[in-house]
Amino acid sequence: MHTPTVDAPPHRPPATRTVRAAAAFAASSVLLLVLVAISWAPLMSLDESIANTTHGWAVADPVLTHVFRVLTDWVWDPVTMRLLVAAAAVWLVWRHREWWLALWLGITCAVGTALQQGLKAAVGRDRPAWPDPVDSAHYAAYPSGHAMTATVVLGLLVWLLHRYGAGRVVMRTAVAVAVVSVVGVGLSRIWLGVHWASDVLGGWLLGGLTIALAVLTYERWRAPRRT
């Protein structure tokens, strides 16, 4: 008896979850940006309350403050994150001959940096000012460059590990390190009194948006060609 052949299913469009994530991050980022730009009173009041509380803790606990300074300046800082991107790009080219993916990784991080710097210049938000500062930072406050850069870089590296079939233990470890680092760098910037809480939240949201749009672009543009 002749068994009819079954055609291979057509190439599916990008996962709906990625599109939904991009839409959610975009809506949240725009809303927060507007509230910061217009200096919405309830948000400003909340930012000041959090900043005053954490600054008091930072002054009272110099040991923990020093630990946060080391972490934010040497471990979670944007330079370290960019070195991780460079190492990942070299690995992609050397081990897998993935020139386009390495280029995509570099471009995504460069776009993220350009976005944060553009928004800093456009919003021009002042950083917290203290009579007894425990740390200092330059440029405008919104969004937090440390928070956004860590989110973009570590999120993309976790995505790359998943794409190349990393084992369960490796994935769980990578996700745990990424979460601790992204949350940690954001909290450290608030603790050190160089960012408002909404600056950090904005960096996280914009970082998530950058990742979602980058993955969506890659899935639409490059993945079908590989198939």
Side-chain angles (χ1 to χ4, degrees):
M1 180 178 178
H2 175 69
T3 302
T5 59
V6 178
D7 294 331
H11 178 75
R12 293 181 179 273
T16 304
R17 287 185 301 177
T18 307
V19 178
R20 290 177 177 173
F25 280 122
S28 301
S29 297
V30 170
L31 175 60
L32 183 58
L33 174 61
V34 170
L35 294 180
V36 170
I38 66 174
S39 298
W40 190 52
L43 179 61
M44 301 299 104
S45 177
L46 179 61
D47 274 342
E48 290 180 5
S49 176
I50 293 173
N52 289 331
T53 300
T54 53
H55 181 67
W57 294 341
V59 171
D61 193 342
V63 174
L64 183 56
T65 297
H66 179 70
V67 171
F68 274 138
R69 289 192 64 178
V70 171
L71 288 172
T72 195
D73 290 341
W74 297 99
V75 180
W76 296 326
D77 73 302
V79 173
T80 302
M81 293 295 115
R82 289 168 189 140
L83 289 175
L84 286 176
V85 169
V90 170
W91 174 76
L92 287 169
V93 172
W94 179 51
R95 291 293 300 272
H96 301 281
R97 299 296 186 268
E98 285 277 16
W99 294 90
W100 283 110
L101 189 55
L103 181 62
W104 167 87
L105 180 63
I107 290 175
T108 299
C109 293
V111 169
T113 299
L115 175 60
Q116 65 171 261
Q117 293 300 323
L119 286 175
K120 281 179 180 291
V123 176
R125 189 183 197 188
D126 292 331
R127 293 177 184 268
W130 309 104
D132 52 349
V134 298
D135 201 357
S136 62
H138 305 289
Y139 309 112
Y142 187 90
S144 167
H146 280 67
M148 184 174 176
T149 302
T151 302
V152 171
V153 170
L154 297 177
L156 290 176
L157 294 183
V158 168
W159 179 83
L160 284 173
L161 287 174
H162 175 71
R163 183 176 184 274
Y164 281 95
R168 182 176 299 178
V169 174
V170 173
M171 283 302 303
R172 287 181 176 177
T173 302
V175 170
V177 170
V179 170
V180 169
S181 298
V182 169
V183 173
V185 72
L187 296 181
S188 74
R189 304 306 284 169
I190 299 171
W191 179 276
L192 295 172
V194 294
H195 273 295
W196 307 104
S198 56
D199 299 337
V200 171
L201 179 58
W204 286 336
L205 292 175
L206 288 165
L209 174 61
T210 302
I211 294 171
L213 291 178
V215 170
L216 191 61
T217 300
Y218 180 82
E219 289 175 343
R220 286 187 179 277
W221 170 61
R222 192 65 187 171
R225 296 186 184 188
R226 291 179 56 86
T227 303

